[in-house]
Amino acid sequence: MSAHLFQLANLIAIVGWVMLIGFPTWRNTPKGILNGIIMILCFFYYCLVAEWMYHGAKGGFDSLANVMLLFTSERAVLAGWIHYLAFDLFVGLWITLDAQKIGLKRSILIPVQLLIFMFGPMGLGLYILIRRRKTGELISAL
């Protein structure tokens, strides 16, 4: 069951990334990703965490040893993976929409998107630097 959910979550996330990178200006891309794909991933995550907690989760967030103990369960690792998929896609969507607002060229944005897809925080950090260089400011919401 976990292997199938892992494959399904990956496939769903890939569809989101294809939409984001391939069709960033299509009017249905943001809604489809946020209200569809990310919400499905959030639902999977919720179910996994609820099931895992119901069955007596071991570990915690107060020490590295306890965090490592959290990830001794296959279902907890799967939940962690889906967490990454959902958050990275959300950050990718947010950056794509922000890049459109500031007029960033797609030729610059696509490598950033790919970096977010593979190494989330590295792509986010690169985008912040690119944005600051282009606009003189960090993030408009901050």
PDB file of all heavy atoms in Angstrom, residues 38-55:
ATOM      1  N   ILE A  38      -2.097  20.283  -4.850  1.00  0.00           N
ATOM      2  CA  ILE A  38      -1.564  20.473  -3.489  1.00  0.00           C
ATOM      3  C   ILE A  38      -2.569  19.993  -2.451  1.00  0.00           C
ATOM      4  O   ILE A  38      -2.189  19.370  -1.452  1.00  0.00           O
ATOM      5  CB  ILE A  38      -1.123  21.930  -3.263  1.00  0.00           C
ATOM      6  CG1 ILE A  38       0.121  22.224  -4.118  1.00  0.00           C
ATOM      7  CG2 ILE A  38      -0.845  22.190  -1.783  1.00  0.00           C
ATOM      8  CD1 ILE A  38       0.592  23.668  -4.085  1.00  0.00           C
ATOM      9  N   MET A  39      -3.845  20.229  -2.670  1.00  0.00           N
ATOM     10  CA  MET A  39      -4.855  19.758  -1.715  1.00  0.00           C
ATOM     11  C   MET A  39      -4.920  18.234  -1.652  1.00  0.00           C
ATOM     12  O   MET A  39      -5.118  17.660  -0.572  1.00  0.00           O
ATOM     13  CB  MET A  39      -6.229  20.346  -2.043  1.00  0.00           C
ATOM     14  CG  MET A  39      -6.332  21.824  -1.723  1.00  0.00           C
ATOM     15  SD  MET A  39      -5.934  22.230  -0.004  1.00  0.00           S
ATOM     16  CE  MET A  39      -7.267  21.423   0.856  1.00  0.00           C
ATOM     17  N   ILE A  40      -4.724  17.559  -2.770  1.00  0.00           N
ATOM     18  CA  ILE A  40      -4.679  16.090  -2.753  1.00  0.00           C
ATOM     19  C   ILE A  40      -3.482  15.622  -1.934  1.00  0.00           C
ATOM     20  O   ILE A  40      -3.608  14.727  -1.091  1.00  0.00           O
ATOM     21  CB  ILE A  40      -4.627  15.520  -4.189  1.00  0.00           C
ATOM     22  CG1 ILE A  40      -5.956  15.757  -4.902  1.00  0.00           C
ATOM     23  CG2 ILE A  40      -4.266  14.040  -4.177  1.00  0.00           C
ATOM     24  CD1 ILE A  40      -5.904  15.497  -6.402  1.00  0.00           C
ATOM     25  N   LEU A  41      -2.328  16.241  -2.160  1.00  0.00           N
ATOM     26  CA  LEU A  41      -1.135  15.876  -1.391  1.00  0.00           C
ATOM     27  C   LEU A  41      -1.339  16.157   0.099  1.00  0.00           C
ATOM     28  O   LEU A  41      -0.946  15.352   0.947  1.00  0.00           O
ATOM     29  CB  LEU A  41       0.100  16.607  -1.924  1.00  0.00           C
ATOM     30  CG  LEU A  41       0.537  16.216  -3.334  1.00  0.00           C
ATOM     31  CD1 LEU A  41       1.641  17.147  -3.826  1.00  0.00           C
ATOM     32  CD2 LEU A  41       0.987  14.762  -3.394  1.00  0.00           C
ATOM     33  N   CYS A  42      -1.982  17.281   0.418  1.00  0.00           N
ATOM     34  CA  CYS A  42      -2.273  17.594   1.826  1.00  0.00           C
ATOM     35  C   CYS A  42      -3.205  16.559   2.439  1.00  0.00           C
ATOM     36  O   CYS A  42      -3.026  16.168   3.601  1.00  0.00           O
ATOM     37  CB  CYS A  42      -2.879  18.994   1.942  1.00  0.00           C
ATOM     38  SG  CYS A  42      -1.716  20.336   1.626  1.00  0.00           S
ATOM     39  N   PHE A  43      -4.176  16.103   1.671  1.00  0.00           N
ATOM     40  CA  PHE A  43      -5.090  15.078   2.157  1.00  0.00           C
ATOM     41  C   PHE A  43      -4.342  13.771   2.432  1.00  0.00           C
ATOM     42  O   PHE A  43      -4.534  13.146   3.480  1.00  0.00           O
ATOM     43  CB  PHE A  43      -6.229  14.854   1.149  1.00  0.00           C
ATOM     44  CG  PHE A  43      -7.162  13.741   1.547  1.00  0.00           C
ATOM     45  CD1 PHE A  43      -8.064  13.916   2.584  1.00  0.00           C
ATOM     46  CD2 PHE A  43      -7.117  12.519   0.898  1.00  0.00           C
ATOM     47  CE1 PHE A  43      -8.923  12.890   2.966  1.00  0.00           C
ATOM     48  CE2 PHE A  43      -7.972  11.487   1.266  1.00  0.00           C
ATOM     49  CZ  PHE A  43      -8.877  11.671   2.308  1.00  0.00           C
ATOM     50  N   PHE A  44      -3.491  13.354   1.519  1.00  0.00           N
ATOM     51  CA  PHE A  44      -2.679  12.145   1.736  1.00  0.00           C
ATOM     52  C   PHE A  44      -1.854  12.296   3.012  1.00  0.00           C
ATOM     53  O   PHE A  44      -1.782  11.377   3.835  1.00  0.00           O
ATOM     54  CB  PHE A  44      -1.727  11.887   0.567  1.00  0.00           C
ATOM     55  CG  PHE A  44      -2.376  11.445  -0.713  1.00  0.00           C
ATOM     56  CD1 PHE A  44      -1.637  11.432  -1.889  1.00  0.00           C
ATOM     57  CD2 PHE A  44      -3.699  11.032  -0.782  1.00  0.00           C
ATOM     58  CE1 PHE A  44      -2.195  11.021  -3.088  1.00  0.00           C
ATOM     59  CE2 PHE A  44      -4.270  10.621  -1.972  1.00  0.00           C
ATOM     60  CZ  PHE A  44      -3.512  10.619  -3.128  1.00  0.00           C
ATOM     61  N   TYR A  45      -1.224  13.459   3.158  1.00  0.00           N
ATOM     62  CA  TYR A  45      -0.397  13.723   4.327  1.00  0.00           C
ATOM     63  C   TYR A  45      -1.222  13.628   5.608  1.00  0.00           C
ATOM     64  O   TYR A  45      -0.832  12.976   6.573  1.00  0.00           O
ATOM     65  CB  TYR A  45       0.250  15.109   4.198  1.00  0.00           C
ATOM     66  CG  TYR A  45       1.108  15.488   5.366  1.00  0.00           C
ATOM     67  CD1 TYR A  45       2.402  14.997   5.493  1.00  0.00           C
ATOM     68  CD2 TYR A  45       0.635  16.337   6.362  1.00  0.00           C
ATOM     69  CE1 TYR A  45       3.198  15.346   6.573  1.00  0.00           C
ATOM     70  CE2 TYR A  45       1.417  16.687   7.439  1.00  0.00           C
ATOM     71  CZ  TYR A  45       2.695  16.190   7.537  1.00  0.00           C
ATOM     72  OH  TYR A  45       3.468  16.527   8.613  1.00  0.00           O
ATOM     73  N   TYR A  46      -2.377  14.288   5.608  1.00  0.00           N
ATOM     74  CA  TYR A  46      -3.252  14.263   6.772  1.00  0.00           C
ATOM     75  C   TYR A  46      -3.602  12.820   7.144  1.00  0.00           C
ATOM     76  O   TYR A  46      -3.529  12.438   8.324  1.00  0.00           O
ATOM     77  CB  TYR A  46      -4.529  15.071   6.508  1.00  0.00           C
ATOM     78  CG  TYR A  46      -5.550  14.894   7.596  1.00  0.00           C
ATOM     79  CD1 TYR A  46      -5.456  15.619   8.780  1.00  0.00           C
ATOM     80  CD2 TYR A  46      -6.586  13.976   7.470  1.00  0.00           C
ATOM     81  CE1 TYR A  46      -6.376  15.436   9.797  1.00  0.00           C
ATOM     82  CE2 TYR A  46      -7.512  13.794   8.483  1.00  0.00           C
ATOM     83  CZ  TYR A  46      -7.400  14.519   9.648  1.00  0.00           C
ATOM     84  OH  TYR A  46      -8.298  14.331  10.656  1.00  0.00           O
ATOM     85  N   CYS A  47      -4.005  12.024   6.170  1.00  0.00           N
ATOM     86  CA  CYS A  47      -4.394  10.633   6.440  1.00  0.00           C
ATOM     87  C   CYS A  47      -3.241   9.839   7.030  1.00  0.00           C
ATOM     88  O   CYS A  47      -3.426   9.078   7.991  1.00  0.00           O
ATOM     89  CB  CYS A  47      -4.904   9.963   5.161  1.00  0.00           C
ATOM     90  SG  CYS A  47      -6.483  10.611   4.594  1.00  0.00           S
ATOM     91  N   LEU A  48      -2.059  10.001   6.463  1.00  0.00           N
ATOM     92  CA  LEU A  48      -0.894   9.274   6.965  1.00  0.00           C
ATOM     93  C   LEU A  48      -0.531   9.688   8.385  1.00  0.00           C
ATOM     94  O   LEU A  48      -0.264   8.842   9.241  1.00  0.00           O
ATOM     95  CB  LEU A  48       0.304   9.482   6.034  1.00  0.00           C
ATOM     96  CG  LEU A  48       0.235   8.743   4.713  1.00  0.00           C
ATOM     97  CD1 LEU A  48       1.249   9.313   3.730  1.00  0.00           C
ATOM     98  CD2 LEU A  48       0.465   7.248   4.914  1.00  0.00           C
ATOM     99  N   VAL A  49      -0.535  10.971   8.648  1.00  0.00           N
ATOM    100  CA  VAL A  49      -0.181  11.454   9.988  1.00  0.00           C
ATOM    101  C   VAL A  49      -1.243  11.036  11.002  1.00  0.00           C
ATOM    102  O   VAL A  49      -0.907  10.586  12.105  1.00  0.00           O
ATOM    103  CB  VAL A  49       0.039  12.981   9.986  1.00  0.00           C
ATOM    104  CG1 VAL A  49       0.157  13.526  11.403  1.00  0.00           C
ATOM    105  CG2 VAL A  49       1.290  13.324   9.192  1.00  0.00           C
ATOM    106  N   ALA A  50      -2.507  11.147  10.636  1.00  0.00           N
ATOM    107  CA  ALA A  50      -3.584  10.742  11.555  1.00  0.00           C
ATOM    108  C   ALA A  50      -3.486   9.249  11.878  1.00  0.00           C
ATOM    109  O   ALA A  50      -3.596   8.856  13.048  1.00  0.00           O
ATOM    110  CB  ALA A  50      -4.948  11.073  10.947  1.00  0.00           C
ATOM    111  N   GLU A  51      -3.255   8.431  10.860  1.00  0.00           N
ATOM    112  CA  GLU A  51      -3.115   6.991  11.070  1.00  0.00           C
ATOM    113  C   GLU A  51      -1.905   6.683  11.953  1.00  0.00           C
ATOM    114  O   GLU A  51      -1.988   5.895  12.897  1.00  0.00           O
ATOM    115  CB  GLU A  51      -2.954   6.286   9.715  1.00  0.00           C
ATOM    116  CG  GLU A  51      -2.600   4.817   9.840  1.00  0.00           C
ATOM    117  CD  GLU A  51      -2.036   4.235   8.561  1.00  0.00           C
ATOM    118  OE1 GLU A  51      -1.235   4.890   7.880  1.00  0.00           O
ATOM    119  OE2 GLU A  51      -2.389   3.085   8.279  1.00  0.00           O
ATOM    120  N   TRP A  52      -0.817   7.344  11.665  1.00  0.00           N
ATOM    121  CA  TRP A  52       0.431   7.113  12.391  1.00  0.00           C
ATOM    122  C   TRP A  52       0.284   7.528  13.855  1.00  0.00           C
ATOM    123  O   TRP A  52       0.702   6.804  14.758  1.00  0.00           O
ATOM    124  CB  TRP A  52       1.528   7.882  11.660  1.00  0.00           C
ATOM    125  CG  TRP A  52       2.851   7.924  12.307  1.00  0.00           C
ATOM    126  CD1 TRP A  52       3.733   6.908  12.447  1.00  0.00           C
ATOM    127  CD2 TRP A  52       3.464   9.078  12.869  1.00  0.00           C
ATOM    128  NE1 TRP A  52       4.862   7.353  13.072  1.00  0.00           N
ATOM    129  CE2 TRP A  52       4.713   8.690  13.334  1.00  0.00           C
ATOM    130  CE3 TRP A  52       3.079  10.399  13.016  1.00  0.00           C
ATOM    131  CZ2 TRP A  52       5.586   9.572  13.941  1.00  0.00           C
ATOM    132  CZ3 TRP A  52       3.946  11.283  13.621  1.00  0.00           C
ATOM    133  CH2 TRP A  52       5.180  10.863  14.073  1.00  0.00           C
ATOM    134  N   MET A  53      -0.363   8.647  14.109  1.00  0.00           N
ATOM    135  CA  MET A  53      -0.555   9.106  15.484  1.00  0.00           C
ATOM    136  C   MET A  53      -1.538   8.198  16.224  1.00  0.00           C
ATOM    137  O   MET A  53      -1.360   7.933  17.414  1.00  0.00           O
ATOM    138  CB  MET A  53      -1.025  10.558  15.506  1.00  0.00           C
ATOM    139  CG  MET A  53       0.062  11.520  15.067  1.00  0.00           C
ATOM    140  SD  MET A  53      -0.494  13.218  14.995  1.00  0.00           S
ATOM    141  CE  MET A  53      -0.507  13.632  16.726  1.00  0.00           C
ATOM    142  N   TYR A  54      -2.567   7.734  15.527  1.00  0.00           N
ATOM    143  CA  TYR A  54      -3.550   6.842  16.131  1.00  0.00           C
ATOM    144  C   TYR A  54      -2.897   5.545  16.611  1.00  0.00           C
ATOM    145  O   TYR A  54      -3.289   4.978  17.625  1.00  0.00           O
ATOM    146  CB  TYR A  54      -4.663   6.540  15.121  1.00  0.00           C
ATOM    147  CG  TYR A  54      -5.706   5.587  15.647  1.00  0.00           C
ATOM    148  CD1 TYR A  54      -6.675   6.022  16.542  1.00  0.00           C
ATOM    149  CD2 TYR A  54      -5.716   4.251  15.255  1.00  0.00           C
ATOM    150  CE1 TYR A  54      -7.631   5.153  17.038  1.00  0.00           C
ATOM    151  CE2 TYR A  54      -6.669   3.377  15.738  1.00  0.00           C
ATOM    152  CZ  TYR A  54      -7.625   3.821  16.623  1.00  0.00           C
ATOM    153  OH  TYR A  54      -8.564   2.961  17.110  1.00  0.00           O
ATOM    154  N   HIS A  55      -1.914   5.103  15.874  1.00  0.00           N
ATOM    155  CA  HIS A  55      -1.233   3.854  16.228  1.00  0.00           C
ATOM    156  C   HIS A  55      -0.050   4.069  17.170  1.00  0.00           C
ATOM    157  O   HIS A  55       0.792   3.181  17.312  1.00  0.00           O
ATOM    158  CB  HIS A  55      -0.780   3.121  14.965  1.00  0.00           C
ATOM    159  CG  HIS A  55      -1.917   2.585  14.156  1.00  0.00           C
ATOM    160  ND1 HIS A  55      -2.721   1.556  14.584  1.00  0.00           N
ATOM    161  CD2 HIS A  55      -2.411   2.958  12.955  1.00  0.00           C
ATOM    162  CE1 HIS A  55      -3.642   1.301  13.681  1.00  0.00           C
ATOM    163  NE2 HIS A  55      -3.490   2.144  12.680  1.00  0.00           N
TER     164      HIS A  55
END
